[in-house]
Amino acid sequence: MMKLEYYAAKAAAALILCCAMPGYADVLYMNDGQKQVGVIVASKTNNSQVTIRTTSGEITIPRSKVSRTEAQAPALSYGLLGDEYLKRGDYDKAIEAYGTGLQFDAGNVDLQQKIQQARGGVANQDAATQAALDDKARRVVDQAMQLARGGNFDTAFTTLKSIEPSEVSPVRPAYNKALANLYMLWGQNMMDRQNTTGAAEKFNQVLKMEPENARAKELLIKTFAGDPTKLQDRAEFYLQSTVPDEQLQGAEALFKLQQYEKALPIFAAHMGDSDLNTQYNITQRLEFILDTLHQQYASRGDYRQALAYFSQYMQVKPGADATPYSKYLYMIKRAETDMNSANARLELAMFAEQVGLVPTAVEEYRHVLTMDAQSTGALSALRRFAESDLADARDFMAQNQFVLAVEMAEKVTQQYPMYPDITAQSNQIQAMAKVEAQKIAQNKQAEARALAERGDNYYAQAMQYMAAYVSKETDTNVRVFSPRNEAAKYMGQAIFAWKTAVQMDPSLGSPTTYNLYYKIQDASAKYSTLANRRPPPIPRMNRN
């Protein structure tokens, strides 16, 4: 309680006392020369006796022993009572008496001075009491530490808690230090007994009191070592730090816990630090995390979030296959499309073609035709693809790649029967190619290897055009020469040649032979990029 509140309470108590007593005070002069100072209690006073309230309590005196009664002013009477209490060292009651007197005579300087004197006495008493308590607390702290050093941790803890000082006590720093030391000794004892869980709890208590305690931090980390069940504790501990190295150790723990979305912003925030990047494999961690997250969200059907994570993935790994980006854009567009509307479905097919998903676009155009057999847009688009494949069949024929010419011509005939003029030409090419193929036929394995090598040549030509093209604009209605178009053409032919070769001889897909499966995957990614007339923007990575 603050002093102002204290004295206000005392004054209130004095006022209550005043109301309980008569409005005047008396001095009783006795026959033997003594006198009693107090306030006569009228309800107990009669012709035979007088009851007076004094500092010693109520006293009843026969009237025969009283020589005379002298009335005093109330302020003086309570002042005399206060004097008696002051002499006895009963400062609280003295303050009550003086305070009551001041209720009757607020300007009484003598009473004002005496009440201040009494208050000083209270303060001195309080200080003496507090000094005694502090001295006792110091002795108990020393006693508790002796118990702790002797291994009696529970008793030491109970002893310390029994005298917990206030936050403003001068003993509080020593108390806090002793408690931290107790937790430290306790934790070390638990570690010695292989109780790492209990030890970690004690070291955490030390760090709450002394956040910079390096020894407690070191020992706490030891309790995590080699225990996979402590990864969460390890993460929570390190993530409280502002030190980059420790934050990354926390992120590493989250990574092992597969809490990728929590680990991601921490790794991303330190990606630009080359030393930390090398030490913690930050780039590799981010590649794995982002690759995993975009696939996870895609598997749940949340393509917007998958797109967001894949965008970050492309920022970390610029050379990544951009096909998923196009797929996610398509799936988002698809979710917004009325699939029962031929016009809306046609727009979706065109979008798929624009983002480089050619097989998907072809399928969408076919669906449009099932809904509207006369759809000019779908028929025009599919004819464009048919003519492109027919042109490839002619190129294969001109290059004496007769097996490829047969395969491509057969594809045109099967997939585009709605264009009789085109299928007639493809049938003609197929027949001619079969004849020529039979003339120079060798064993199947040798032919497959020849096709694999031809695919390599197509790929090399595509890469030369990729290095040369500048314009990214494509006229979808007229086949005109441009490096981009030529690169896409040769890349598509390379993929077709390799796929045909590996169908003829699957062993060519192995890394120990022609590694065709990898080559097809790599070329498909590049082809998707070439075919995408709306290259995806590479967003800036969010490192917050």
Side-chain angles (χ1 to χ4, degrees), residues 416-448:
Y416 303 103
M418 70 284 289
Y419 307 113
D421 58 322
I422 294 178
T423 56
Q425 296 177 61
S426 66
N427 287 333
Q428 183 180 10
I429 293 172
Q430 185 177 7
M432 294 171 57
K434 283 182 178 179
V435 171
E436 296 300 325
Q438 290 174 358
K439 292 180 182 178
I440 60 174
Q442 299 177 2
N443 65 70
K444 187 176 181 180
Q445 188 176 48
E447 181 67 15

PDB file of all heavy atoms in Angstrom, residues 416-448:
ATOM      1  N   TYR A 416      -6.336 -37.522 -87.284  1.00  0.00           N
ATOM      2  CA  TYR A 416      -7.031 -36.447 -87.983  1.00  0.00           C
ATOM      3  C   TYR A 416      -7.857 -36.982 -89.173  1.00  0.00           C
ATOM      4  O   TYR A 416      -7.707 -36.500 -90.319  1.00  0.00           O
ATOM      5  CB  TYR A 416      -6.029 -35.401 -88.466  1.00  0.00           C
ATOM      6  CG  TYR A 416      -5.192 -34.827 -87.344  1.00  0.00           C
ATOM      7  CD1 TYR A 416      -3.872 -35.242 -87.166  1.00  0.00           C
ATOM      8  CD2 TYR A 416      -5.728 -33.898 -86.457  1.00  0.00           C
ATOM      9  CE1 TYR A 416      -3.103 -34.726 -86.129  1.00  0.00           C
ATOM     10  CE2 TYR A 416      -4.960 -33.378 -85.430  1.00  0.00           C
ATOM     11  CZ  TYR A 416      -3.648 -33.810 -85.267  1.00  0.00           C
ATOM     12  OH  TYR A 416      -2.896 -33.301 -84.242  1.00  0.00           O
ATOM     13  N   PRO A 417      -8.721 -37.926 -88.924  1.00  0.00           N
ATOM     14  CA  PRO A 417      -9.509 -38.487 -90.033  1.00  0.00           C
ATOM     15  C   PRO A 417     -10.529 -37.486 -90.587  1.00  0.00           C
ATOM     16  O   PRO A 417     -11.084 -37.712 -91.670  1.00  0.00           O
ATOM     17  CB  PRO A 417     -10.211 -39.688 -89.392  1.00  0.00           C
ATOM     18  CG  PRO A 417     -10.310 -39.341 -87.948  1.00  0.00           C
ATOM     19  CD  PRO A 417      -9.064 -38.577 -87.648  1.00  0.00           C
ATOM     20  N   MET A 418     -10.766 -36.391 -89.859  1.00  0.00           N
ATOM     21  CA  MET A 418     -11.773 -35.419 -90.323  1.00  0.00           C
ATOM     22  C   MET A 418     -11.268 -34.558 -91.485  1.00  0.00           C
ATOM     23  O   MET A 418     -12.022 -33.741 -92.021  1.00  0.00           O
ATOM     24  CB  MET A 418     -12.209 -34.525 -89.155  1.00  0.00           C
ATOM     25  CG  MET A 418     -11.172 -33.535 -88.646  1.00  0.00           C
ATOM     26  SD  MET A 418      -9.868 -34.288 -87.634  1.00  0.00           S
ATOM     27  CE  MET A 418     -10.777 -34.677 -86.156  1.00  0.00           C
ATOM     28  N   TYR A 419      -9.975 -34.739 -91.847  1.00  0.00           N
ATOM     29  CA  TYR A 419      -9.409 -33.959 -92.953  1.00  0.00           C
ATOM     30  C   TYR A 419      -8.961 -34.934 -94.044  1.00  0.00           C
ATOM     31  O   TYR A 419      -7.786 -35.348 -94.090  1.00  0.00           O
ATOM     32  CB  TYR A 419      -8.228 -33.114 -92.478  1.00  0.00           C
ATOM     33  CG  TYR A 419      -8.560 -32.246 -91.287  1.00  0.00           C
ATOM     34  CD1 TYR A 419      -7.968 -32.480 -90.058  1.00  0.00           C
ATOM     35  CD2 TYR A 419      -9.481 -31.212 -91.405  1.00  0.00           C
ATOM     36  CE1 TYR A 419      -8.277 -31.691 -88.968  1.00  0.00           C
ATOM     37  CE2 TYR A 419      -9.797 -30.431 -90.312  1.00  0.00           C
ATOM     38  CZ  TYR A 419      -9.196 -30.672 -89.085  1.00  0.00           C
ATOM     39  OH  TYR A 419      -9.515 -29.906 -88.011  1.00  0.00           O
ATOM     40  N   PRO A 420      -9.849 -35.311 -94.940  1.00  0.00           N
ATOM     41  CA  PRO A 420      -9.533 -36.319 -95.955  1.00  0.00           C
ATOM     42  C   PRO A 420      -8.342 -35.946 -96.834  1.00  0.00           C
ATOM     43  O   PRO A 420      -7.550 -36.814 -97.210  1.00  0.00           O
ATOM     44  CB  PRO A 420     -10.824 -36.401 -96.783  1.00  0.00           C
ATOM     45  CG  PRO A 420     -11.897 -35.920 -95.856  1.00  0.00           C
ATOM     46  CD  PRO A 420     -11.242 -34.860 -95.014  1.00  0.00           C
ATOM     47  N   ASP A 421      -8.212 -34.667 -97.164  1.00  0.00           N
ATOM     48  CA  ASP A 421      -7.108 -34.268 -98.016  1.00  0.00           C
ATOM     49  C   ASP A 421      -5.769 -34.491 -97.338  1.00  0.00           C
ATOM     50  O   ASP A 421      -4.783 -34.899 -97.968  1.00  0.00           O
ATOM     51  CB  ASP A 421      -7.250 -32.810 -98.442  1.00  0.00           C
ATOM     52  CG  ASP A 421      -7.313 -31.866 -97.243  1.00  0.00           C
ATOM     53  OD1 ASP A 421      -7.940 -32.237 -96.214  1.00  0.00           O
ATOM     54  OD2 ASP A 421      -6.728 -30.757 -97.328  1.00  0.00           O
ATOM     55  N   ILE A 422      -5.732 -34.247 -96.028  1.00  0.00           N
ATOM     56  CA  ILE A 422      -4.481 -34.433 -95.269  1.00  0.00           C
ATOM     57  C   ILE A 422      -4.194 -35.914 -95.087  1.00  0.00           C
ATOM     58  O   ILE A 422      -3.047 -36.369 -95.255  1.00  0.00           O
ATOM     59  CB  ILE A 422      -4.560 -33.707 -93.919  1.00  0.00           C
ATOM     60  CG1 ILE A 422      -4.622 -32.189 -94.145  1.00  0.00           C
ATOM     61  CG2 ILE A 422      -3.373 -34.066 -93.031  1.00  0.00           C
ATOM     62  CD1 ILE A 422      -4.744 -31.379 -92.868  1.00  0.00           C
ATOM     63  N   THR A 423      -5.208 -36.701 -94.733  1.00  0.00           N
ATOM     64  CA  THR A 423      -4.985 -38.136 -94.527  1.00  0.00           C
ATOM     65  C   THR A 423      -4.582 -38.816 -95.829  1.00  0.00           C
ATOM     66  O   THR A 423      -3.810 -39.787 -95.821  1.00  0.00           O
ATOM     67  CB  THR A 423      -6.245 -38.802 -93.946  1.00  0.00           C
ATOM     68  OG1 THR A 423      -7.367 -38.551 -94.815  1.00  0.00           O
ATOM     69  CG2 THR A 423      -6.556 -38.263 -92.578  1.00  0.00           C
ATOM     70  N   ALA A 424      -5.093 -38.314 -96.964  1.00  0.00           N
ATOM     71  CA  ALA A 424      -4.700 -38.897 -98.247  1.00  0.00           C
ATOM     72  C   ALA A 424      -3.208 -38.707 -98.482  1.00  0.00           C
ATOM     73  O   ALA A 424      -2.496 -39.627 -98.909  1.00  0.00           O
ATOM     74  CB  ALA A 424      -5.505 -38.263 -99.387  1.00  0.00           C
ATOM     75  N   GLN A 425      -2.718 -37.524 -98.155  1.00  0.00           N
ATOM     76  CA  GLN A 425      -1.283 -37.254 -98.328  1.00  0.00           C
ATOM     77  C   GLN A 425      -0.449 -38.076 -97.343  1.00  0.00           C
ATOM     78  O   GLN A 425       0.622 -38.579 -97.696  1.00  0.00           O
ATOM     79  CB  GLN A 425      -1.013 -35.762 -98.115  1.00  0.00           C
ATOM     80  CG  GLN A 425      -1.684 -34.856 -99.136  1.00  0.00           C
ATOM     81  CD  GLN A 425      -1.452 -33.382 -98.831  1.00  0.00           C
ATOM     82  OE1 GLN A 425      -0.312 -32.928 -98.819  1.00  0.00           O
ATOM     83  NE2 GLN A 425      -2.538 -32.639 -98.601  1.00  0.00           N
ATOM     84  N   SER A 426      -0.940 -38.213 -96.115  1.00  0.00           N
ATOM     85  CA  SER A 426      -0.194 -38.983 -95.128  1.00  0.00           C
ATOM     86  C   SER A 426      -0.143 -40.457 -95.516  1.00  0.00           C
ATOM     87  O   SER A 426       0.886 -41.125 -95.319  1.00  0.00           O
ATOM     88  CB  SER A 426      -0.815 -38.809 -93.736  1.00  0.00           C
ATOM     89  OG  SER A 426      -2.118 -39.379 -93.692  1.00  0.00           O
ATOM     90  N   ASN A 427      -1.241 -40.978 -96.093  1.00  0.00           N
ATOM     91  CA  ASN A 427      -1.237 -42.375 -96.535  1.00  0.00           C
ATOM     92  C   ASN A 427      -0.236 -42.585 -97.664  1.00  0.00           C
ATOM     93  O   ASN A 427       0.461 -43.619 -97.709  1.00  0.00           O
ATOM     94  CB  ASN A 427      -2.636 -42.781 -97.008  1.00  0.00           C
ATOM     95  CG  ASN A 427      -3.609 -42.939 -95.839  1.00  0.00           C
ATOM     96  OD1 ASN A 427      -3.199 -43.240 -94.719  1.00  0.00           O
ATOM     97  ND2 ASN A 427      -4.893 -42.749 -96.113  1.00  0.00           N
ATOM     98  N   GLN A 428      -0.147 -41.607 -98.534  1.00  0.00           N
ATOM     99  CA  GLN A 428       0.795 -41.696 -99.637  1.00  0.00           C
ATOM    100  C   GLN A 428       2.236 -41.714 -99.120  1.00  0.00           C
ATOM    101  O   GLN A 428       3.069 -42.519 -99.559  1.00  0.00           O
ATOM    102  CB  GLN A 428       0.582 -40.536-100.600  1.00  0.00           C
ATOM    103  CG  GLN A 428       1.466 -40.578-101.840  1.00  0.00           C
ATOM    104  CD  GLN A 428       1.215 -39.395-102.757  1.00  0.00           C
ATOM    105  OE1 GLN A 428       0.515 -38.456-102.395  1.00  0.00           O
ATOM    106  NE2 GLN A 428       1.786 -39.434-103.953  1.00  0.00           N
ATOM    107  N   ILE A 429       2.526 -40.809 -98.170  1.00  0.00           N
ATOM    108  CA  ILE A 429       3.876 -40.762 -97.587  1.00  0.00           C
ATOM    109  C   ILE A 429       4.180 -42.063 -96.863  1.00  0.00           C
ATOM    110  O   ILE A 429       5.286 -42.621 -96.970  1.00  0.00           O
ATOM    111  CB  ILE A 429       3.995 -39.561 -96.630  1.00  0.00           C
ATOM    112  CG1 ILE A 429       3.921 -38.254 -97.414  1.00  0.00           C
ATOM    113  CG2 ILE A 429       5.281 -39.642 -95.829  1.00  0.00           C
ATOM    114  CD1 ILE A 429       3.844 -37.016 -96.533  1.00  0.00           C
ATOM    115  N   GLN A 430       3.196 -42.580 -96.140  1.00  0.00           N
ATOM    116  CA  GLN A 430       3.397 -43.812 -95.387  1.00  0.00           C
ATOM    117  C   GLN A 430       3.729 -44.982 -96.320  1.00  0.00           C
ATOM    118  O   GLN A 430       4.646 -45.766 -96.046  1.00  0.00           O
ATOM    119  CB  GLN A 430       2.133 -44.125 -94.574  1.00  0.00           C
ATOM    120  CG  GLN A 430       2.290 -45.330 -93.649  1.00  0.00           C
ATOM    121  CD  GLN A 430       1.037 -45.562 -92.814  1.00  0.00           C
ATOM    122  OE1 GLN A 430       0.030 -44.907 -93.012  1.00  0.00           O
ATOM    123  NE2 GLN A 430       1.116 -46.488 -91.882  1.00  0.00           N
ATOM    124  N   ALA A 431       3.002 -45.063 -97.430  1.00  0.00           N
ATOM    125  CA  ALA A 431       3.249 -46.165 -98.360  1.00  0.00           C
ATOM    126  C   ALA A 431       4.640 -46.064 -98.980  1.00  0.00           C
ATOM    127  O   ALA A 431       5.377 -47.059 -99.069  1.00  0.00           O
ATOM    128  CB  ALA A 431       2.181 -46.148 -99.459  1.00  0.00           C
ATOM    129  N   MET A 432       5.015 -44.851 -99.381  1.00  0.00           N
ATOM    130  CA  MET A 432       6.330 -44.658 -99.987  1.00  0.00           C
ATOM    131  C   MET A 432       7.441 -44.939 -98.976  1.00  0.00           C
ATOM    132  O   MET A 432       8.448 -45.576 -99.298  1.00  0.00           O
ATOM    133  CB  MET A 432       6.454 -43.227-100.517  1.00  0.00           C
ATOM    134  CG  MET A 432       5.511 -42.908-101.670  1.00  0.00           C
ATOM    135  SD  MET A 432       5.516 -41.121-102.094  1.00  0.00           S
ATOM    136  CE  MET A 432       7.245 -40.854-102.435  1.00  0.00           C
ATOM    137  N   ALA A 433       7.261 -44.489 -97.743  1.00  0.00           N
ATOM    138  CA  ALA A 433       8.285 -44.674 -96.714  1.00  0.00           C
ATOM    139  C   ALA A 433       8.462 -46.146 -96.376  1.00  0.00           C
ATOM    140  O   ALA A 433       9.590 -46.607 -96.138  1.00  0.00           O
ATOM    141  CB  ALA A 433       7.910 -43.883 -95.469  1.00  0.00           C
ATOM    142  N   LYS A 434       7.362 -46.904 -96.369  1.00  0.00           N
ATOM    143  CA  LYS A 434       7.473 -48.332 -96.065  1.00  0.00           C
ATOM    144  C   LYS A 434       8.289 -49.059 -97.123  1.00  0.00           C
ATOM    145  O   LYS A 434       9.116 -49.928 -96.801  1.00  0.00           O
ATOM    146  CB  LYS A 434       6.079 -48.954 -95.977  1.00  0.00           C
ATOM    147  CG  LYS A 434       5.348 -48.660 -94.677  1.00  0.00           C
ATOM    148  CD  LYS A 434       3.989 -49.357 -94.647  1.00  0.00           C
ATOM    149  CE  LYS A 434       3.278 -49.107 -93.310  1.00  0.00           C
ATOM    150  NZ  LYS A 434       1.954 -49.760 -93.259  1.00  0.00           N
ATOM    151  N   VAL A 435       8.060 -48.676 -98.374  1.00  0.00           N
ATOM    152  CA  VAL A 435       8.811 -49.309 -99.460  1.00  0.00           C
ATOM    153  C   VAL A 435      10.296 -49.021 -99.312  1.00  0.00           C
ATOM    154  O   VAL A 435      11.144 -49.918 -99.409  1.00  0.00           O
ATOM    155  CB  VAL A 435       8.294 -48.809-100.833  1.00  0.00           C
ATOM    156  CG1 VAL A 435       9.212 -49.296-101.956  1.00  0.00           C
ATOM    157  CG2 VAL A 435       6.866 -49.273-101.067  1.00  0.00           C
ATOM    158  N   GLU A 436      10.613 -47.730 -99.070  1.00  0.00           N
ATOM    159  CA  GLU A 436      12.020 -47.346 -98.931  1.00  0.00           C
ATOM    160  C   GLU A 436      12.646 -47.963 -97.683  1.00  0.00           C
ATOM    161  O   GLU A 436      13.816 -48.355 -97.706  1.00  0.00           O
ATOM    162  CB  GLU A 436      12.139 -45.818 -98.867  1.00  0.00           C
ATOM    163  CG  GLU A 436      11.690 -45.107-100.137  1.00  0.00           C
ATOM    164  CD  GLU A 436      12.511 -45.531-101.344  1.00  0.00           C
ATOM    165  OE1 GLU A 436      13.736 -45.795-101.178  1.00  0.00           O
ATOM    166  OE2 GLU A 436      11.937 -45.614-102.428  1.00  0.00           O
ATOM    167  N   ALA A 437      11.878 -48.074 -96.636  1.00  0.00           N
ATOM    168  CA  ALA A 437      12.404 -48.655 -95.408  1.00  0.00           C
ATOM    169  C   ALA A 437      12.757 -50.119 -95.597  1.00  0.00           C
ATOM    170  O   ALA A 437      13.767 -50.617 -95.062  1.00  0.00           O
ATOM    171  CB  ALA A 437      11.377 -48.500 -94.287  1.00  0.00           C
ATOM    172  N   GLN A 438      11.932 -50.816 -96.360  1.00  0.00           N
ATOM    173  CA  GLN A 438      12.202 -52.228 -96.612  1.00  0.00           C
ATOM    174  C   GLN A 438      13.475 -52.414 -97.440  1.00  0.00           C
ATOM    175  O   GLN A 438      14.184 -53.406 -97.292  1.00  0.00           O
ATOM    176  CB  GLN A 438      11.011 -52.863 -97.326  1.00  0.00           C
ATOM    177  CG  GLN A 438       9.780 -53.004 -96.437  1.00  0.00           C
ATOM    178  CD  GLN A 438       8.565 -53.490 -97.205  1.00  0.00           C
ATOM    179  OE1 GLN A 438       8.640 -53.690 -98.429  1.00  0.00           O
ATOM    180  NE2 GLN A 438       7.457 -53.665 -96.503  1.00  0.00           N
ATOM    181  N   LYS A 439      13.757 -51.461 -98.330  1.00  0.00           N
ATOM    182  CA  LYS A 439      14.950 -51.574 -99.168  1.00  0.00           C
ATOM    183  C   LYS A 439      16.239 -51.521 -98.355  1.00  0.00           C
ATOM    184  O   LYS A 439      17.226 -52.171 -98.701  1.00  0.00           O
ATOM    185  CB  LYS A 439      14.956 -50.440-100.199  1.00  0.00           C
ATOM    186  CG  LYS A 439      13.865 -50.542-101.260  1.00  0.00           C
ATOM    187  CD  LYS A 439      13.970 -49.364-102.210  1.00  0.00           C
ATOM    188  CE  LYS A 439      12.868 -49.397-103.271  1.00  0.00           C
ATOM    189  NZ  LYS A 439      12.938 -48.220-104.181  1.00  0.00           N
ATOM    190  N   ILE A 440      16.220 -50.675 -97.340  1.00  0.00           N
ATOM    191  CA  ILE A 440      17.461 -50.456 -96.577  1.00  0.00           C
ATOM    192  C   ILE A 440      17.358 -51.017 -95.158  1.00  0.00           C
ATOM    193  O   ILE A 440      18.164 -50.683 -94.291  1.00  0.00           O
ATOM    194  CB  ILE A 440      17.788 -48.962 -96.490  1.00  0.00           C
ATOM    195  CG1 ILE A 440      16.666 -48.187 -95.799  1.00  0.00           C
ATOM    196  CG2 ILE A 440      18.029 -48.387 -97.873  1.00  0.00           C
ATOM    197  CD1 ILE A 440      17.010 -46.735 -95.551  1.00  0.00           C
ATOM    198  N   ALA A 441      16.360 -51.901 -94.953  1.00  0.00           N
ATOM    199  CA  ALA A 441      16.127 -52.411 -93.599  1.00  0.00           C
ATOM    200  C   ALA A 441      17.337 -53.189 -93.106  1.00  0.00           C
ATOM    201  O   ALA A 441      17.918 -53.988 -93.819  1.00  0.00           O
ATOM    202  CB  ALA A 441      14.882 -53.294 -93.600  1.00  0.00           C
ATOM    203  N   GLN A 442      17.716 -52.957 -91.874  1.00  0.00           N
ATOM    204  CA  GLN A 442      18.742 -53.724 -91.187  1.00  0.00           C
ATOM    205  C   GLN A 442      18.077 -54.343 -89.960  1.00  0.00           C
ATOM    206  O   GLN A 442      16.856 -54.323 -89.834  1.00  0.00           O
ATOM    207  CB  GLN A 442      19.898 -52.809 -90.785  1.00  0.00           C
ATOM    208  CG  GLN A 442      20.576 -52.146 -91.981  1.00  0.00           C
ATOM    209  CD  GLN A 442      21.667 -51.182 -91.560  1.00  0.00           C
ATOM    210  OE1 GLN A 442      21.931 -51.037 -90.374  1.00  0.00           O
ATOM    211  NE2 GLN A 442      22.293 -50.543 -92.531  1.00  0.00           N
ATOM    212  N   ASN A 443      18.869 -54.799 -89.045  1.00  0.00           N
ATOM    213  CA  ASN A 443      18.241 -55.372 -87.856  1.00  0.00           C
ATOM    214  C   ASN A 443      17.649 -54.239 -87.007  1.00  0.00           C
ATOM    215  O   ASN A 443      18.064 -53.093 -87.087  1.00  0.00           O
ATOM    216  CB  ASN A 443      19.243 -56.197 -87.035  1.00  0.00           C
ATOM    217  CG  ASN A 443      20.355 -55.348 -86.453  1.00  0.00           C
ATOM    218  OD1 ASN A 443      20.112 -54.550 -85.554  1.00  0.00           O
ATOM    219  ND2 ASN A 443      21.573 -55.494 -86.964  1.00  0.00           N
ATOM    220  N   LYS A 444      16.667 -54.608 -86.239  1.00  0.00           N
ATOM    221  CA  LYS A 444      15.881 -53.626 -85.483  1.00  0.00           C
ATOM    222  C   LYS A 444      16.736 -52.817 -84.522  1.00  0.00           C
ATOM    223  O   LYS A 444      16.547 -51.599 -84.363  1.00  0.00           O
ATOM    224  CB  LYS A 444      14.782 -54.357 -84.711  1.00  0.00           C
ATOM    225  CG  LYS A 444      13.798 -53.452 -84.010  1.00  0.00           C
ATOM    226  CD  LYS A 444      12.703 -54.274 -83.361  1.00  0.00           C
ATOM    227  CE  LYS A 444      11.687 -53.389 -82.666  1.00  0.00           C
ATOM    228  NZ  LYS A 444      10.602 -54.182 -82.020  1.00  0.00           N
ATOM    229  N   GLN A 445      17.699 -53.447 -83.870  1.00  0.00           N
ATOM    230  CA  GLN A 445      18.527 -52.751 -82.885  1.00  0.00           C
ATOM    231  C   GLN A 445      19.388 -51.681 -83.555  1.00  0.00           C
ATOM    232  O   GLN A 445      19.513 -50.563 -83.051  1.00  0.00           O
ATOM    233  CB  GLN A 445      19.411 -53.754 -82.151  1.00  0.00           C
ATOM    234  CG  GLN A 445      20.163 -53.160 -80.974  1.00  0.00           C
ATOM    235  CD  GLN A 445      20.954 -54.199 -80.226  1.00  0.00           C
ATOM    236  OE1 GLN A 445      21.676 -55.003 -80.845  1.00  0.00           O
ATOM    237  NE2 GLN A 445      20.844 -54.199 -78.907  1.00  0.00           N
ATOM    238  N   ALA A 446      19.950 -52.014 -84.703  1.00  0.00           N
ATOM    239  CA  ALA A 446      20.780 -51.047 -85.419  1.00  0.00           C
ATOM    240  C   ALA A 446      19.941 -49.866 -85.875  1.00  0.00           C
ATOM    241  O   ALA A 446      20.373 -48.709 -85.832  1.00  0.00           O
ATOM    242  CB  ALA A 446      21.469 -51.717 -86.610  1.00  0.00           C
ATOM    243  N   GLU A 447      18.711 -50.149 -86.323  1.00  0.00           N
ATOM    244  CA  GLU A 447      17.834 -49.074 -86.764  1.00  0.00           C
ATOM    245  C   GLU A 447      17.477 -48.157 -85.600  1.00  0.00           C
ATOM    246  O   GLU A 447      17.425 -46.935 -85.736  1.00  0.00           O
ATOM    247  CB  GLU A 447      16.560 -49.666 -87.370  1.00  0.00           C
ATOM    248  CG  GLU A 447      15.582 -48.628 -87.887  1.00  0.00           C
ATOM    249  CD  GLU A 447      16.105 -47.862 -89.093  1.00  0.00           C
ATOM    250  OE1 GLU A 447      17.096 -48.317 -89.722  1.00  0.00           O
ATOM    251  OE2 GLU A 447      15.543 -46.795 -89.405  1.00  0.00           O
ATOM    252  N   ALA A 448      17.239 -48.746 -84.416  1.00  0.00           N
ATOM    253  CA  ALA A 448      16.908 -47.955 -83.237  1.00  0.00           C
ATOM    254  C   ALA A 448      18.066 -47.036 -82.862  1.00  0.00           C
ATOM    255  O   ALA A 448      17.873 -45.863 -82.517  1.00  0.00           O
ATOM    256  CB  ALA A 448      16.556 -48.863 -82.067  1.00  0.00           C
TER     257      ALA A 448
END
